[in-house]
Amino acid sequence: QQPFLLDDQEFSESCVLIIQDDDAITVGVILNIPSTHSVDIEVDIQDGGKSPKQTISIPQRHGGRFGLKGQQTKPTVWLHNCERLKEAKVGSPLGDDKSGGFWCCSQNDVVAALATTGVATAQDFVCINGFTVWEKSRDEGTIGGLLAEILSGKFDVVPREWSEEIYEELVEQNESILTAENLDSNLDLAREAWKCAGGSPSSKAKGKCVKGTKAEALADMARKSWWSTFLLGDPSVRFGK
């Protein structure tokens, strides 16, 4: 809600998948923010008895600013929400299998699926680098962490059954890495995924003006500025350079 007022602009119109929740922390990955990086994997394609080796490049997404302590590179999380891959037992479900939703898999799972004809395509997989962490309050009776942000209206909880539509929009983002040329189209695709998660401008922000500029326009400017600066590394891109 009112995304331009968020302390962390990376969460503006974002979809976050929670992958761990315990007494101390909540860990999630942002699903719908692309990056300028990709992962190259070598696959032996099994086709008619021949096994030609191919290098397949899969776009990588920005999952958050955090990595693992003691490691210079952030961890890569592989996800999918594809019924074809679930039937082939590629990976394992996050949460209750009966309720559907995203599955998590390893890079070895991805390689094996791509190597088997008719099982998977590169676009089926959502490759995410880094994650987001919310520390929970240690003070008894005090609400902190992600729950506090949900209660304050910064985040909404999305029904698991909506995940299939969100995934379909994420697949559309898998065509290429983020570039200055496709910045605007990627912003639009990310917004469509957010809308599938029930996202819409706050009723307080709709039509509201700040020094003559509509709040929604300010939110769009702040979002594009963050993507240009922190994802592309070139703030001038937001001005149409």
Side-chain angles (χ1 to χ4, degrees), residues 120-214:
T121 68
Q123 278 191 284
D124 292 332
F125 297 100
V126 178
C127 175
I128 303 174
N129 182 244
F131 48 79
T132 301
V133 176
W134 289 269
E135 292 186 6
K136 296 183 178 180
S137 176
R138 297 182 180 180
D139 297 330
E140 189 173 343
T142 301
I143 297 176
L146 179 59
L147 178 57
E149 298 200 6
I150 292 173
L151 294 176
S152 69
K154 290 184 177 180
F155 291 93
D156 291 321
V157 178
V158 178
R160 187 185 292 267
E161 54 266 26
W162 293 3
S163 64
E164 186 174 344
E165 286 187 51
I166 297 171
Y167 173 71
E168 290 174 359
E169 293 297 333
L170 298 178
V171 169
E172 293 295 319
Q173 272 187 321
N174 264 355
E175 293 187 1
S176 68
I177 62 173
L178 180 67
T179 65
E181 290 71 28
N182 65 24
L183 172 62
D184 288 332
S185 61
N186 264 291
L187 283 163
D188 290 340
L189 288 170
R191 173 167 286 167
E192 288 305 312
W194 176 67
K195 286 181 178 179
C196 287
S200 63
S202 167
S203 58
K204 294 181 180 179
K206 280 187 176 181
K208 183 178 179 180
C209 291
V210 180
K211 293 185 178 179
T213 304
K214 285 190 175 182

